[in-house]
Amino acid sequence: MTAIAVTLQSFFTDRLARQRRASPHTIASYRDTLRLLLTFLQDRTGKPASQLGWDDIDVEAVSAFLDHLETGRANSARTRNLRLTAIRSLFAYAALRHPEHAGLIARVLAIPPRRFEKATVSFLTPPEVDALLNAPDRARWEHRRDHAWLFVAIQTGLRVCELLGLNCGDVALGTGAHVRCLGKGRKQRAVPLTREADAVLGVWLAERGGGVADPLFPTRTGRRLSRDAVARRLALHGAIATEQCPSLQNKTLSPHVLRHTTAMTLLGAGVDSTVIALWLGHADPRSTNTYLHADLSIMESALALTTPTDSRPAATNPPTHFWPSWKACDYADHSR
């Protein structure tokens, strides 16, 4: 076993699990990042992952991996920075255990995050939501499951990890219907369900069966749906919905767009931004300000409250006597 293998194991078991008591979502994110990194280095060096050393993970290799994420995997700058955070956390831990590689580790830690423009959030309009929810063919089991999680995602605004982490026992139906989830920072919250969502989940749970600890949205084999599976299913139903609602062709569908749709629906209904922050599980209510910028109707409403000025448009052909005499002379001189 190489030195990097020992450090990797203790990074997860000692640093993340015991010292930091990181959430399962954080551990899974870091695990996926380092798995991608090791796979990339294995292809780059030709060495098996079990034989990689610290010299194989220098600043050039890590920079090449980050470039590969953007070019080869079409990841956004935001995702690239998230992967870099996981790598820097590993190297910061390794700096205390491997002082003989201090220079190499310091150079990797000095890699800056990518700066990016913050685009206006994308969300679905009510006709687009209806088209997406009507896309699954409910004569098939997988499509009935997809219709249920699509309905829940759009109505609750759960993050994809929160949605996939739901168990059958996390759903309370009837009076005070809601779902309970474990969000970022190990924060538990309950999100209320509408009457329609309550009915959809009631029908799905009756068909799905299962115990309280079983996943709410499983695969055919009973395992929990993965992020990639959700992305593929969403793309499938999005393509079908586009035929009924052509405006979807200009939208990039993702689970997070469904979350944005929830926020914009609540905002359009006049719900206060602090309540929306609680609904979505934002640690900082200022995170909700992004949706305020995306809602043009709020600014239009504010404009309607202002007092219009008495100024009128200027004449398109002003009389010639408005021109000062020196202007006329200057024009005459230049026209010669």
Side-chain angles (χ1 to χ4, degrees):
M1 184 179 290
T2 62
I4 185 175
V6 175
T7 305
L8 268 174
Q9 180 176 345
S10 60
F11 173 68
F12 282 98
T13 59
D14 184 59
R15 178 63 170 172
L16 293 182
R18 189 179 66 84
Q19 295 180 8
R20 290 185 54 188
R21 296 184 61 83
S23 69
H25 300 317
T26 299
I27 293 176
S29 176
Y30 281 24
R31 176 205 63 202
D32 294 342
T33 296
L34 297 177
R35 180 185 294 167
L36 288 172
L37 175 62
L38 292 177
T39 302
F40 174 81
L41 293 174
Q42 182 174 273
D43 296 338
R44 176 186 172 94
T45 63
K47 297 180 182 179
S50 58
Q51 297 180 11
L52 292 171
W54 288 107
D55 292 334
D56 298 313
I57 318 181
D58 56 9
V59 65
E60 290 79 11
V62 173
S63 297
F65 168 69
L66 296 174
D67 291 339
H68 164 71
L69 292 178
E70 292 187 284
T71 58
R73 295 179 60 86
N75 288 164
S76 64
R78 192 186 299 272
T79 300
R80 172 197 182 276
N81 292 343
L82 185 66
R83 302 297 189 194
L84 177 59
T85 298
I87 295 172
R88 294 177 67 175
S89 182
L90 170 65
F91 274 74
Y93 175 72
L96 303 175
R97 299 174 62 88
H98 299 283
E100 68 275 16
H101 296 292
L104 180 149
I105 292 172
R107 287 191 291 273
V108 171
L109 291 175
I111 297 176
R114 177 86 72 198
R115 301 189 68 176
F116 57 92
E117 295 181 357
K118 294 184 178 179
T120 304
V121 297
S122 178
F123 61 95
L124 305 183
T125 62
E128 293 168 346
V129 169
D130 292 338
L132 184 60
L133 290 177
N134 291 328
D137 178 11
R138 274 164 272 180
R140 302 172 58 182
W141 183 87
E142 293 92 343
H143 286 237
R144 292 194 294 274
R145 176 204 60 195
D146 294 347
H147 176 262
W149 68 253
L150 280 170
F151 208 109
V152 172
I154 292 172
Q155 195 260 292
T156 63
L158 295 181
R159 300 178 179 92
V160 64
C161 58
E162 297 168 347
L163 181 71
L164 299 181
L166 290 177
N167 295 325
C168 295
D170 294 327
V171 180
L173 300 178
T175 305
H178 64 274
V179 293
R180 295 181 299 273
C181 69
L182 182 65
K184 279 187 175 181
R186 296 177 177 272
K187 294 179 181 177
Q188 292 188 350
R189 74 180 189 279
V191 183
L193 295 173
T194 62
R195 187 178 308 169
E196 294 78 9
D198 176 65
V200 168
L201 277 180
V203 172
W204 168 245
L205 280 172
E207 178 180 5
R208 189 254 178 272
V212 294
D214 292 328
L216 179 61
F217 303 115
T219 63
R220 274 284 188 183
T221 58
R223 294 178 297 176
R224 202 175 295 274
L225 276 175
S226 66
R227 288 171 177 255
D228 290 342
V230 165
R232 288 193 301 268
R233 302 298 295 179
L234 182 57
L236 170 67
H237 299 308
I240 297 173
T242 301
E243 299 176 2
Q244 303 298 324
C245 188
S247 62
L248 279 169
Q249 191 171 6
N250 302 321
K251 301 290 180 70
T252 301
L253 273 180
S254 71
H256 218 67
V257 168
L258 305 183
R259 179 171 164 84
H260 292 329
T261 301
T262 305
M264 296 304 294
T265 301
L266 293 171
L267 194 62
V271 179
D272 188 81
S273 60
T274 55
V275 177
I276 298 176
L278 292 173
W279 189 294
L280 299 179
H282 285 159
D284 188 346
R286 289 177 297 180
S287 302
T288 316
N289 291 343
T290 305
Y291 304 112
L292 297 174
H293 293 288
D295 193 353
L296 185 61
S297 63
I298 291 179
M299 289 178 273
E300 291 175 343
S301 300
L303 182 63
L305 296 175
T306 61
T307 303
T309 63
D310 293 331
S311 178
R312 296 181 180 182
T316 54
N317 295 310
T320 55
H321 66 270
F322 282 177
W323 290 90
S325 58
W326 64 268
K327 276 287 185 181
C329 296
D330 183 64
Y331 178 78
D333 291 338
H334 283 286
S335 64
R336 292 172 182 167

